[in-house]
Amino acid sequence: MIKTAETYHVPVLLEQTVNGLNIQPGGIYIDVTFGGGGHSSKILSCLDSQAHLYSFDQDADAENNIYYAEAGSNEKDHRFIDDPRFTFIRSNFRYIKNWMRYYHVDYIDGLLADLGVSSHHFDDKDRGFSFRFDSPLDMRMNKRADMTAADIVNNYPESQLADIFYLYGELKNSRKIANALVRYRQNQKILTTQDFIKATEPLFKREKEKKDMARLFQALRIEVNHEMDALKEMLNSATELLRPGGRLSVITYHSLEDRIVKNVMKSGNPEGKIVKDFFGKSETPYKLINNKVIIPDQEEQENNPRSRSAKLRIAEKL
């Protein structure tokens, strides 16, 4: 089934995120997480004929959303494919600077990122993103990538697995989890989500089982897709590409990525290192538009439960 913006991924904080870009009708914008096309469609509605929007997504399933209007329909979706103001780029967003150079774009007026995993990925039982299904342990956002989640759990040394679960899942018993996986794979390969669960489930307390299992899957997914490295590279490139007055509007869903975004907006670097000038004044390329994170209201959280952990941060290039 082909999925559209409404079924593939419901855009979170749609109005707030796009309004945060302070769109100039003739400007150049990037949506680094096209997904179902919801945010991109909203941005295009604000642009005049001289403007342009470049939208990125590394997933072939997302690319299908520029072509079809309804699930299962063969009708073309003319919102995107016939719009001369729109260019879709099937690529990881860590390469935005290279792609802008390719398209002879020196500066942009705004960049939007909705860093959450699309609902489509969690609901597609064949992709291995969710512990709700028994499926191949894959977790690749880009199906053309070589390494799957199964490759990691079957081949990484115990110490490296422990680091992944501690750093990316914030699991205190990461060493025990890694040891359990190593012992399990000595007898049989871990090839499916159920194999993975069977090897680790005894280590989780019943009352926290779902929450901890979600963190475990999150950690593995982040490692498969190199999400933290890609995020840092994208934000560094955005800082270089944005012209003065340009806006960065970013939605995060967990503390690891939110910390990186917060650091970049406050200090100009992912590590949060404050650089001061000769007079002791902090040097940063941004000013914060919202000092307090924006979160979905109760109505949006009820209509779209996956929005509950969303945090929106907006900054303007100085």
Side-chain angles (χ1 to χ4, degrees), residues 126-164:
D126 296 324
R127 300 292 292 272
F129 285 94
S130 174
F131 53 82
R132 292 180 294 137
F133 309 110
D134 185 10
S135 58
L137 195 59
D138 193 319
M139 297 193 188
R140 290 173 298 170
M141 296 284 192
N142 179 2
K143 294 179 183 177
R144 296 178 293 189
D146 294 328
M147 187 174 63
T148 68
D151 293 328
I152 289 172
V153 297
N154 285 293
N155 298 314
Y156 272 28
E158 185 175 329
S159 60
Q160 193 172 356
L161 288 173
D163 288 345
I164 290 167

Side-chain angles (χ1 to χ4, degrees), residues 174-190:
S174 62
R175 292 180 185 277
K176 291 182 179 179
I177 294 170
N179 181 258
L181 287 168
V182 169
R183 284 189 285 108
Y184 189 94
R185 74 190 191 190
Q186 288 174 348
N187 298 315
Q188 65 177 85
K189 284 197 171 185
I190 303 167

